[in-house]
Amino acid sequence: MSRFIQIVEVGPRDGLQNEKAVLDPAIRAAFTRRLEAAGARRIEAASFVHPKYVPQMAGAEDVMAALPAEAGRSRIGLVLNARGYDRAAATAVDEINVSVSATDGFGLKNQGLSVKDQQVMLEEIVARRHNAEPGGAAPSLSVTISCVWGCPFDGEVSVDQVAERVAAIAALGFDEIALADTIGAGDPWAVTKKVEAARKAAPDAVLRLHFHDTRNTGLANAYAGVEAGVDILDASCGGIGGCPFAPGATGNIATEDLVYMLERAGFETGYDLGALIDTAGWIGEQLGIRPPSRLSRAGPFPKA
């Protein structure tokens, strides 16, 4: 059998949060529905952050209310702190992803917390989950570590910094740890080094990788991650997105571009490439932009 690579679709959250247009919750829910019809089975559907800071993510509860539970689908809510966790846990999210940083600089800008304080926050979230009402189906928990390959405020991030952060988070018992190149500073060789370091620091942890294409290395970095044995990658339909708190950060790697590369090489993803390209065009129309993804322009090969 071909090796299966799970692609977590982040367009409705990380994709939309840095775009100028602010879409209604109903349109964002429709985006999720279209992506699921194209094959997405894990998808970042909402972000439970204060709308004052990220107005594009306002109405997260409304988005989730428009997405009734379905077997085989996992809708993820992103949170930055315990307050966000409480909001997310009160909805129908299947998974809660907590965003932290590898550096103090980005942590303070993104959520007002140093690395040390972020660890305390994670401990608080774990305690809240354990103290939830007995018998309740608590959402699964994952963590994304931002700025693993470079910080816009603190500069280079060492392998030791990443390993220490991964080990501390894994010790709290999180289900999955994602390593994120928030500003697209990484290169394939650095990807290999930090994946190896993360594995050594937390041998039992499930690793996920999140790349941005800011400096045109996104797909090369995804390739390096797959070669290093990672089976879960994030991507955003159309290649839209970025981080409003990271100067110069541009879009994620495009889901359709990643699917094309992987399936062309013989991997399985479970996505319908034509449906993804159509969805990229649709969300581009909603945003009033032309999606930056290559496949939305060139189309697949060979042509149907």
Side-chain angles (χ1 to χ4, degrees):
M1 288 182 64
S2 298
R3 178 177 163 196
F4 183 82
I5 304 296
Q6 182 186 90
I7 300 176
V8 179
E9 173 58 55
V10 300
R13 197 280 302 177
D14 202 20
L16 296 180
Q17 72 171 8
N18 206 40
E19 297 296 329
K20 292 181 180 180
V22 178
L23 303 183
D24 290 338
I27 296 177
R28 284 148 51 200
F31 187 25
T32 291
R33 287 289 197 191
R34 285 174 177 263
L35 289 163
E36 289 178 337
R41 291 300 175 264
R42 282 181 76 192
I43 185 165
E44 276 195 346
S47 179
F48 294 84
V49 297
H50 199 296
K52 173 184 176 181
Y53 301 108
V54 190
Q56 295 90 337
M57 293 291 102
E61 287 84 357
D62 296 331
V63 171
M64 292 310 307
L67 296 170
E70 289 189 33
R73 309 286 174 87
S74 182
R75 282 73 175 259
I76 305 168
L78 179 113
V79 306
L80 297 180
N81 50 43
R83 292 188 300 277
Y85 174 84
D86 289 341
R87 284 181 60 197
T91 71
V93 295
D94 303 291
E95 177 184 335
I96 295 176
N97 180 245
V98 190
S99 178
V100 297
S101 175
T103 65
D104 286 330
F106 188 74
L108 290 168
K109 288 287 186 179
N110 190 46
Q111 59 204 117
L113 297 173
S114 66
V115 166
K116 181 178 179 181
D117 290 337
Q118 289 171 38
Q119 191 69 14
V120 173
M121 177 266 291
L122 290 176
E123 293 171 359
E124 182 179 353
I125 286 176
V126 169
R128 289 187 186 210
R129 185 171 186 249
H130 286 167
N131 293 331
E133 186 174 337
S140 62
L141 272 178
S142 59
V143 172
T144 293
I145 305 174
S146 301
C147 297
V148 165
W149 283 275
C151 173
F153 308 105
D154 292 358
E156 296 289 355
V157 177
S158 71
V159 171
D160 288 343
Q161 276 179 276
V162 174
E164 182 178 344
R165 198 81 176 94
V166 168
I169 292 169
L172 296 178
F174 280 87
D175 301 328
E176 179 184 87
I177 300 173
L179 308 179
D181 188 10
T182 309
I183 60 171
D187 63 76
W189 298 272
V191 169
T192 301
K193 290 177 183 177
K194 287 181 176 175
V195 167
E196 289 174 350
R199 280 225 182 83
K200 186 175 180 180
D204 297 327
V206 175
L207 295 182
R208 174 162 53 97
L209 299 177
H210 178 106
F211 295 116
H212 286 245
D213 203 31
T214 313
R215 293 169 178 82
N216 202 33
T217 58
L219 285 179
N221 290 340
Y223 164 81
V226 171
E227 288 294 288
V230 177
D231 293 322
I232 312 174
L233 302 171
D234 289 355
S236 172
C237 183
I240 59 174
C243 179
F245 303 104
T250 55
N252 301 261
I253 55 175
T255 311
E256 57 271 31
D257 294 356
L258 181 59
V259 167
Y260 173 79
M261 181 183 78
L262 291 171
E263 294 196 343
R264 181 89 172 148
F267 295 95
E268 295 181 7
T269 67
Y271 279 82
D272 179 329
L273 188 55
L276 273 176
I277 293 171
D278 290 345
T279 301
W282 177 85
I283 195 60
E285 291 174 0
Q286 308 306 309
L287 294 169
I289 64 169
R290 185 178 184 184
S293 68
R294 306 304 197 271
L295 264 288
S296 67
R297 303 180 185 207
F301 179 85
K303 299 289 186 180

